mmCIF file of all heavy atoms in Angstrom:
data_model
loop_
_atom_site.group_PDB
_atom_site.id
_atom_site.type_symbol
_atom_site.label_atom_id
_atom_site.label_comp_id
_atom_site.label_asym_id
_atom_site.label_seq_id
_atom_site.Cartn_x
_atom_site.Cartn_y
_atom_site.Cartn_z
ATOM 1 N N ALA A 192 -7.124 -19.546 28.413
ATOM 2 C CA ALA A 192 -5.808 -20.143 28.649
ATOM 3 C C ALA A 192 -5.625 -20.429 30.124
ATOM 4 O O ALA A 192 -6.112 -19.676 30.980
ATOM 5 C CB ALA A 192 -4.705 -19.212 28.143
ATOM 6 N N ASP A 193 -4.940 -21.514 30.404
ATOM 7 C CA ASP A 193 -4.530 -21.847 31.767
ATOM 8 C C ASP A 193 -3.030 -21.612 31.833
ATOM 9 O O ASP A 193 -2.246 -22.426 31.344
ATOM 10 C CB ASP A 193 -4.875 -23.306 32.079
ATOM 11 C CG ASP A 193 -4.563 -23.683 33.518
ATOM 12 O OD1 ASP A 193 -3.630 -23.074 34.096
ATOM 13 O OD2 ASP A 193 -5.226 -24.572 34.047
ATOM 14 N N TYR A 194 -2.635 -20.488 32.418
ATOM 15 C CA TYR A 194 -1.235 -20.098 32.392
ATOM 16 C C TYR A 194 -0.374 -20.928 33.327
ATOM 17 O O TYR A 194 0.842 -20.967 33.185
ATOM 18 C CB TYR A 194 -1.108 -18.610 32.687
ATOM 19 C CG TYR A 194 -1.702 -17.777 31.584
ATOM 20 C CD1 TYR A 194 -2.976 -17.228 31.709
ATOM 21 C CD2 TYR A 194 -1.021 -17.574 30.393
ATOM 22 C CE1 TYR A 194 -3.545 -16.495 30.682
ATOM 23 C CE2 TYR A 194 -1.579 -16.838 29.362
ATOM 24 C CZ TYR A 194 -2.843 -16.303 29.516
ATOM 25 O OH TYR A 194 -3.404 -15.588 28.488
ATOM 26 N N ARG A 195 -0.972 -21.609 34.279
ATOM 27 C CA ARG A 195 -0.192 -22.487 35.148
ATOM 28 C C ARG A 195 0.182 -23.768 34.423
ATOM 29 O O ARG A 195 1.249 -24.350 34.643
ATOM 30 C CB ARG A 195 -0.980 -22.817 36.414
ATOM 31 C CG ARG A 195 -1.189 -21.623 37.343
ATOM 32 C CD ARG A 195 -2.104 -21.997 38.485
ATOM 33 N NE ARG A 195 -3.415 -22.427 37.978
ATOM 34 C CZ ARG A 195 -4.369 -22.955 38.742
ATOM 35 N NH1 ARG A 195 -4.173 -23.143 40.021
ATOM 36 N NH2 ARG A 195 -5.522 -23.296 38.209
ATOM 37 N N LYS A 196 -0.728 -24.236 33.556
ATOM 38 C CA LYS A 196 -0.509 -25.500 32.856
ATOM 39 C C LYS A 196 -0.011 -25.302 31.425
ATOM 40 O O LYS A 196 0.229 -26.275 30.716
ATOM 41 C CB LYS A 196 -1.798 -26.316 32.843
ATOM 42 C CG LYS A 196 -2.266 -26.717 34.230
ATOM 43 C CD LYS A 196 -3.537 -27.560 34.151
ATOM 44 C CE LYS A 196 -3.987 -27.989 35.541
ATOM 45 N NZ LYS A 196 -5.242 -28.787 35.497
ATOM 46 N N ASN A 197 0.107 -24.031 31.003
ATOM 47 C CA ASN A 197 0.590 -23.730 29.651
ATOM 48 C C ASN A 197 -0.293 -24.354 28.572
ATOM 49 O O ASN A 197 0.188 -24.990 27.621
ATOM 50 C CB ASN A 197 2.047 -24.176 29.465
ATOM 51 C CG ASN A 197 2.978 -23.418 30.379
ATOM 52 O OD1 ASN A 197 2.763 -22.241 30.649
ATOM 53 N ND2 ASN A 197 3.988 -24.099 30.868
ATOM 54 N N ILE A 198 -1.592 -24.183 28.720
ATOM 55 C CA ILE A 198 -2.560 -24.726 27.776
ATOM 56 C C ILE A 198 -3.515 -23.617 27.343
ATOM 57 O O ILE A 198 -3.983 -22.834 28.174
ATOM 58 C CB ILE A 198 -3.380 -25.885 28.384
ATOM 59 C CG1 ILE A 198 -2.459 -27.023 28.841
ATOM 60 C CG2 ILE A 198 -4.382 -26.416 27.369
ATOM 61 C CD1 ILE A 198 -3.197 -28.147 29.534
ATOM 62 N N MET A 199 -3.801 -23.593 26.050
ATOM 63 C CA MET A 199 -4.821 -22.715 25.514
ATOM 64 C C MET A 199 -6.018 -23.581 25.107
ATOM 65 O O MET A 199 -5.830 -24.726 24.668
ATOM 66 C CB MET A 199 -4.285 -21.970 24.284
ATOM 67 C CG MET A 199 -5.311 -21.081 23.611
ATOM 68 S SD MET A 199 -4.666 -20.124 22.219
ATOM 69 C CE MET A 199 -4.229 -21.393 21.041
ATOM 70 N N PHE A 200 -7.216 -23.038 25.269
ATOM 71 C CA PHE A 200 -8.431 -23.784 24.977
ATOM 72 C C PHE A 200 -9.265 -23.055 23.931
ATOM 73 O O PHE A 200 -9.190 -21.838 23.780
ATOM 74 C CB PHE A 200 -9.273 -23.951 26.240
ATOM 75 C CG PHE A 200 -8.583 -24.670 27.349
ATOM 76 C CD1 PHE A 200 -8.025 -23.955 28.403
ATOM 77 C CD2 PHE A 200 -8.486 -26.047 27.357
ATOM 78 C CE1 PHE A 200 -7.386 -24.610 29.448
ATOM 79 C CE2 PHE A 200 -7.846 -26.713 28.391
ATOM 80 C CZ PHE A 200 -7.295 -25.991 29.442
ATOM 81 N N LEU A 201 -10.104 -23.836 23.273
ATOM 82 C CA LEU A 201 -11.157 -23.276 22.439
ATOM 83 C C LEU A 201 -12.412 -24.098 22.707
ATOM 84 O O LEU A 201 -12.512 -25.249 22.280
ATOM 85 C CB LEU A 201 -10.805 -23.318 20.954
ATOM 86 C CG LEU A 201 -11.832 -22.640 20.041
ATOM 87 C CD1 LEU A 201 -11.842 -21.124 20.274
ATOM 88 C CD2 LEU A 201 -11.545 -22.938 18.566
ATOM 89 N N GLU A 202 -13.334 -23.492 23.453
ATOM 90 C CA GLU A 202 -14.604 -24.150 23.710
ATOM 91 C C GLU A 202 -15.563 -23.782 22.603
ATOM 92 O O GLU A 202 -15.782 -22.602 22.330
ATOM 93 C CB GLU A 202 -15.172 -23.745 25.066
ATOM 94 C CG GLU A 202 -16.436 -24.514 25.425
ATOM 95 C CD GLU A 202 -16.883 -24.263 26.859
ATOM 96 O OE1 GLU A 202 -16.464 -23.243 27.428
ATOM 97 O OE2 GLU A 202 -17.632 -25.087 27.386
ATOM 98 N N MET A 203 -16.134 -24.807 21.974
ATOM 99 C CA MET A 203 -16.985 -24.597 20.805
ATOM 100 C C MET A 203 -18.385 -25.115 21.116
ATOM 101 O O MET A 203 -18.562 -26.317 21.360
ATOM 102 C CB MET A 203 -16.392 -25.317 19.592
ATOM 103 C CG MET A 203 -14.953 -24.915 19.304
ATOM 104 S SD MET A 203 -14.273 -25.677 17.823
ATOM 105 C CE MET A 203 -14.221 -27.384 18.333
ATOM 106 N N LEU A 204 -19.331 -24.208 21.122
ATOM 107 C CA LEU A 204 -20.718 -24.546 21.421
ATOM 108 C C LEU A 204 -21.567 -24.383 20.167
ATOM 109 O O LEU A 204 -21.209 -23.642 19.254
ATOM 110 C CB LEU A 204 -21.257 -23.632 22.531
ATOM 111 C CG LEU A 204 -20.428 -23.557 23.805
ATOM 112 C CD1 LEU A 204 -21.063 -22.563 24.772
ATOM 113 C CD2 LEU A 204 -20.276 -24.911 24.454
ATOM 114 N N ASN A 205 -22.730 -25.050 20.171
ATOM 115 C CA ASN A 205 -23.662 -24.937 19.048
ATOM 116 C C ASN A 205 -22.941 -25.105 17.709
ATOM 117 O O ASN A 205 -23.076 -24.273 16.806
ATOM 118 C CB ASN A 205 -24.385 -23.590 19.101
ATOM 119 C CG ASN A 205 -25.536 -23.507 18.127
ATOM 120 O OD1 ASN A 205 -26.073 -24.527 17.700
ATOM 121 N ND2 ASN A 205 -25.918 -22.287 17.761
ATOM 122 N N LEU A 206 -22.191 -26.166 17.593
ATOM 123 C CA LEU A 206 -21.419 -26.403 16.376
ATOM 124 C C LEU A 206 -22.332 -26.648 15.186
ATOM 125 O O LEU A 206 -23.412 -27.233 15.319
ATOM 126 C CB LEU A 206 -20.474 -27.577 16.570
ATOM 127 C CG LEU A 206 -19.221 -27.256 17.384
ATOM 128 C CD1 LEU A 206 -18.605 -28.504 17.973
ATOM 129 C CD2 LEU A 206 -18.220 -26.512 16.524
ATOM 130 N N LYS A 207 -21.865 -26.190 14.022
ATOM 131 C CA LYS A 207 -22.602 -26.319 12.781
ATOM 132 C C LYS A 207 -21.766 -27.111 11.779
ATOM 133 O O LYS A 207 -20.536 -27.136 11.883
ATOM 134 C CB LYS A 207 -22.898 -24.937 12.211
ATOM 135 C CG LYS A 207 -23.602 -24.004 13.168
ATOM 136 C CD LYS A 207 -23.730 -22.607 12.571
ATOM 137 C CE LYS A 207 -24.382 -21.656 13.547
ATOM 138 N NZ LYS A 207 -24.512 -20.288 12.992
ATOM 139 N N PRO A 208 -22.400 -27.718 10.794
ATOM 140 C CA PRO A 208 -21.625 -28.455 9.785
ATOM 141 C C PRO A 208 -20.546 -27.604 9.125
ATOM 142 O O PRO A 208 -19.469 -28.122 8.804
ATOM 143 C CB PRO A 208 -22.696 -28.889 8.787
ATOM 144 C CG PRO A 208 -23.927 -29.032 9.619
ATOM 145 C CD PRO A 208 -23.845 -27.933 10.624
ATOM 146 N N GLU A 209 -20.785 -26.312 8.963
ATOM 147 C CA GLU A 209 -19.788 -25.443 8.342
ATOM 148 C C GLU A 209 -18.584 -25.175 9.247
ATOM 149 O O GLU A 209 -17.616 -24.561 8.814
ATOM 150 C CB GLU A 209 -20.413 -24.119 7.901
ATOM 151 C CG GLU A 209 -21.207 -23.392 8.966
ATOM 152 C CD GLU A 209 -22.699 -23.688 8.888
ATOM 153 O OE1 GLU A 209 -23.071 -24.871 8.662
ATOM 154 O OE2 GLU A 209 -23.480 -22.735 9.075
ATOM 155 N N ASP A 210 -18.646 -25.628 10.497
ATOM 156 C CA ASP A 210 -17.467 -25.543 11.375
ATOM 157 C C ASP A 210 -16.506 -26.701 11.152
ATOM 158 O O ASP A 210 -15.421 -26.731 11.742
ATOM 159 C CB ASP A 210 -17.903 -25.534 12.841
ATOM 160 C CG ASP A 210 -18.687 -24.293 13.221
ATOM 161 O OD1 ASP A 210 -18.284 -23.185 12.803
ATOM 162 O OD2 ASP A 210 -19.698 -24.428 13.931
ATOM 163 N N THR A 211 -16.891 -27.660 10.317
ATOM 164 C CA THR A 211 -16.019 -28.795 10.018
ATOM 165 C C THR A 211 -14.722 -28.293 9.394
ATOM 166 O O THR A 211 -14.739 -27.575 8.397
ATOM 167 C CB THR A 211 -16.724 -29.771 9.078
ATOM 168 O OG1 THR A 211 -17.839 -30.359 9.759
ATOM 169 C CG2 THR A 211 -15.780 -30.882 8.631
ATOM 170 N N ALA A 212 -13.604 -28.668 10.009
ATOM 171 C CA ALA A 212 -12.305 -28.196 9.551
ATOM 172 C C ALA A 212 -11.209 -28.844 10.398
ATOM 173 O O ALA A 212 -11.500 -29.477 11.417
ATOM 174 C CB ALA A 212 -12.205 -26.676 9.679
ATOM 175 N N VAL A 213 -9.980 -28.651 9.965
ATOM 176 C CA VAL A 213 -8.828 -28.943 10.820
ATOM 177 C C VAL A 213 -8.507 -27.658 11.577
ATOM 178 O O VAL A 213 -8.363 -26.591 10.961
ATOM 179 C CB VAL A 213 -7.619 -29.419 10.007
ATOM 180 C CG1 VAL A 213 -6.424 -29.642 10.923
ATOM 181 C CG2 VAL A 213 -7.959 -30.694 9.242
ATOM 182 N N TYR A 214 -8.409 -27.770 12.876
ATOM 183 C CA TYR A 214 -8.156 -26.616 13.731
ATOM 184 C C TYR A 214 -6.697 -26.622 14.173
ATOM 185 O O TYR A 214 -6.169 -27.669 14.584
ATOM 186 C CB TYR A 214 -9.094 -26.634 14.935
ATOM 187 C CG TYR A 214 -10.500 -26.224 14.578
ATOM 188 C CD1 TYR A 214 -11.326 -27.054 13.827
ATOM 189 C CD2 TYR A 214 -11.003 -24.976 14.968
ATOM 190 C CE1 TYR A 214 -12.605 -26.671 13.472
ATOM 191 C CE2 TYR A 214 -12.289 -24.583 14.620
ATOM 192 C CZ TYR A 214 -13.078 -25.433 13.871
ATOM 193 O OH TYR A 214 -14.356 -25.044 13.515
ATOM 194 N N TYR A 215 -6.077 -25.437 14.121
ATOM 195 C CA TYR A 215 -4.663 -25.289 14.443
ATOM 196 C C TYR A 215 -4.465 -24.223 15.515
ATOM 197 O O TYR A 215 -5.094 -23.166 15.455
ATOM 198 C CB TYR A 215 -3.876 -24.832 13.217
ATOM 199 C CG TYR A 215 -3.897 -25.779 12.046
ATOM 200 C CD1 TYR A 215 -4.899 -25.691 11.074
ATOM 201 C CD2 TYR A 215 -2.897 -26.731 11.878
ATOM 202 C CE1 TYR A 215 -4.912 -26.545 9.985
ATOM 203 C CE2 TYR A 215 -2.903 -27.590 10.784
ATOM 204 C CZ TYR A 215 -3.919 -27.491 9.852
ATOM 205 O OH TYR A 215 -3.914 -28.332 8.766
ATOM 206 N N CYS A 216 -3.578 -24.474 16.451
ATOM 207 C CA CYS A 216 -3.166 -23.395 17.333
ATOM 208 C C CYS A 216 -1.866 -22.782 16.804
ATOM 209 O O CYS A 216 -1.101 -23.437 16.093
ATOM 210 C CB CYS A 216 -3.040 -23.830 18.784
ATOM 211 S SG CYS A 216 -1.848 -25.122 19.117
ATOM 212 N N ASN A 217 -1.669 -21.540 17.155
ATOM 213 C CA ASN A 217 -0.595 -20.735 16.564
ATOM 214 C C ASN A 217 -0.066 -19.771 17.596
ATOM 215 O O ASN A 217 -0.825 -19.221 18.403
ATOM 216 C CB ASN A 217 -1.166 -19.983 15.356
ATOM 217 C CG ASN A 217 -0.251 -18.908 14.824
ATOM 218 O OD1 ASN A 217 -0.176 -17.811 15.391
ATOM 219 N ND2 ASN A 217 0.425 -19.202 13.731
ATOM 220 N N ALA A 218 1.234 -19.558 17.561
ATOM 221 C CA ALA A 218 1.846 -18.557 18.444
ATOM 222 C C ALA A 218 3.140 -18.073 17.803
ATOM 223 O O ALA A 218 3.760 -18.795 17.011
ATOM 224 C CB ALA A 218 2.126 -19.149 19.811
ATOM 225 N N ILE A 219 3.513 -16.856 18.155
ATOM 226 C CA ILE A 219 4.761 -16.278 17.658
ATOM 227 C C ILE A 219 5.651 -15.965 18.841
ATOM 228 O O ILE A 219 5.217 -15.346 19.818
ATOM 229 C CB ILE A 219 4.498 -15.001 16.841
ATOM 230 C CG1 ILE A 219 3.664 -15.347 15.592
ATOM 231 C CG2 ILE A 219 5.812 -14.349 16.425
ATOM 232 C CD1 ILE A 219 3.250 -14.136 14.784
ATOM 233 N N LEU A 220 6.912 -16.384 18.748
ATOM 234 C CA LEU A 220 7.876 -16.140 19.808
ATOM 235 C C LEU A 220 9.163 -15.625 19.181
ATOM 236 O O LEU A 220 9.758 -16.304 18.335
ATOM 237 C CB LEU A 220 8.150 -17.425 20.592
ATOM 238 C CG LEU A 220 9.164 -17.312 21.738
ATOM 239 C CD1 LEU A 220 8.655 -16.337 22.794
ATOM 240 C CD2 LEU A 220 9.427 -18.671 22.352
ATOM 241 N N ARG A 221 9.540 -14.451 19.570
ATOM 242 C CA ARG A 221 10.761 -13.807 19.064
ATOM 243 C C ARG A 221 10.811 -13.847 17.537
ATOM 244 O O ARG A 221 11.844 -14.201 16.941
ATOM 245 C CB ARG A 221 12.005 -14.451 19.677
ATOM 246 C CG ARG A 221 12.126 -14.177 21.174
ATOM 247 C CD ARG A 221 13.489 -14.628 21.718
ATOM 248 N NE ARG A 221 13.560 -16.076 21.890
ATOM 249 C CZ ARG A 221 13.172 -16.700 22.989
ATOM 250 N NH1 ARG A 221 12.653 -16.020 24.001
ATOM 251 N NH2 ARG A 221 13.288 -18.010 23.092
ATOM 252 N N GLY A 222 9.692 -13.515 16.925
ATOM 253 C CA GLY A 222 9.631 -13.392 15.474
ATOM 254 C C GLY A 222 9.460 -14.691 14.723
ATOM 255 O O GLY A 222 9.382 -14.688 13.490
ATOM 256 N N VAL A 223 9.406 -15.797 15.430
ATOM 257 C CA VAL A 223 9.233 -17.099 14.777
ATOM 258 C C VAL A 223 7.805 -17.588 15.030
ATOM 259 O O VAL A 223 7.343 -17.581 16.173
ATOM 260 C CB VAL A 223 10.242 -18.132 15.305
ATOM 261 C CG1 VAL A 223 10.009 -19.488 14.644
ATOM 262 C CG2 VAL A 223 11.665 -17.649 15.069
ATOM 263 N N GLU A 224 7.131 -17.996 13.962
ATOM 264 C CA GLU A 224 5.757 -18.449 14.063
ATOM 265 C C GLU A 224 5.719 -19.965 14.232
ATOM 266 O O GLU A 224 6.387 -20.703 13.501
ATOM 267 C CB GLU A 224 4.976 -18.042 12.816
ATOM 268 C CG GLU A 224 3.480 -18.275 12.918
ATOM 269 C CD GLU A 224 2.721 -17.650 11.763
ATOM 270 O OE1 GLU A 224 3.282 -17.609 10.651
ATOM 271 O OE2 GLU A 224 1.578 -17.199 11.966
ATOM 272 N N TYR A 225 4.934 -20.410 15.189
ATOM 273 C CA TYR A 225 4.821 -21.840 15.466
ATOM 274 C C TYR A 225 3.374 -22.291 15.265
ATOM 275 O O TYR A 225 2.432 -21.545 15.596
ATOM 276 C CB TYR A 225 5.258 -22.150 16.897
ATOM 277 C CG TYR A 225 6.707 -21.848 17.144
ATOM 278 C CD1 TYR A 225 7.106 -20.617 17.660
ATOM 279 C CD2 TYR A 225 7.692 -22.788 16.849
ATOM 280 C CE1 TYR A 225 8.436 -20.332 17.869
ATOM 281 C CE2 TYR A 225 9.033 -22.506 17.064
ATOM 282 C CZ TYR A 225 9.394 -21.279 17.572
ATOM 283 O OH TYR A 225 10.725 -21.002 17.768
ATOM 284 N N TRP A 226 3.235 -23.510 14.752
ATOM 285 C CA TRP A 226 1.925 -24.105 14.517
ATOM 286 C C TRP A 226 1.858 -25.478 15.161
ATOM 287 O O TRP A 226 2.852 -26.216 15.206
ATOM 288 C CB TRP A 226 1.677 -24.287 13.013
ATOM 289 C CG TRP A 226 1.541 -23.016 12.253
ATOM 290 C CD1 TRP A 226 2.542 -22.297 11.657
ATOM 291 C CD2 TRP A 226 0.325 -22.301 11.987
ATOM 292 N NE1 TRP A 226 2.009 -21.191 11.038
ATOM 293 C CE2 TRP A 226 0.668 -21.165 11.218
ATOM 294 C CE3 TRP A 226 -1.008 -22.513 12.327
ATOM 295 C CZ2 TRP A 226 -0.289 -20.237 10.791
ATOM 296 C CZ3 TRP A 226 -1.945 -21.597 11.889
ATOM 297 C CH2 TRP A 226 -1.591 -20.478 11.139
ATOM 298 N N GLY A 227 0.659 -25.817 15.641
ATOM 299 C CA GLY A 227 0.424 -27.184 16.032
ATOM 300 C C GLY A 227 0.218 -28.048 14.799
ATOM 301 O O GLY A 227 0.170 -27.545 13.670
ATOM 302 N N GLN A 228 0.067 -29.331 15.005
ATOM 303 C CA GLN A 228 -0.077 -30.259 13.886
ATOM 304 C C GLN A 228 -1.492 -30.249 13.316
ATOM 305 O O GLN A 228 -1.725 -30.763 12.223
ATOM 306 C CB GLN A 228 0.299 -31.687 14.331
ATOM 307 C CG GLN A 228 -0.789 -32.453 15.070
ATOM 308 C CD GLN A 228 -0.986 -32.024 16.508
ATOM 309 O OE1 GLN A 228 -0.295 -31.134 17.015
ATOM 310 N NE2 GLN A 228 -1.925 -32.671 17.187
ATOM 311 N N GLY A 229 -2.415 -29.670 14.059
ATOM 312 C CA GLY A 229 -3.801 -29.610 13.611
ATOM 313 C C GLY A 229 -4.611 -30.767 14.147
ATOM 314 O O GLY A 229 -4.081 -31.858 14.381
#
């Protein structure tokens, strides 16, 4: 995460066909769960 820019990252190396998917980021704030659009 880059806390100055408010961005979280996922670096993915040596990707495999089984990694094919929609990826979502997620966070909880004051008991409420938030999701990205994927």
Side-chain angles (χ1 to χ4, degrees):
D193 184 331
Y194 293 100
R195 292 174 300 172
K196 297 181 179 179
N197 296 325
I198 301 176
M199 177 177 65
F200 300 100
L201 185 68
E202 185 171 20
M203 305 183 293
L204 307 177
N205 190 22
L206 283 159
K207 306 174 182 180
E209 52 264 42
D210 294 317
T211 294
V213 177
Y214 285 71
Y215 298 89
C216 61
N217 168 281
I219 297 175
L220 179 62
R221 292 189 283 273
V223 178
E224 189 170 33
Y225 296 94
W226 293 90
Q228 81 284 359

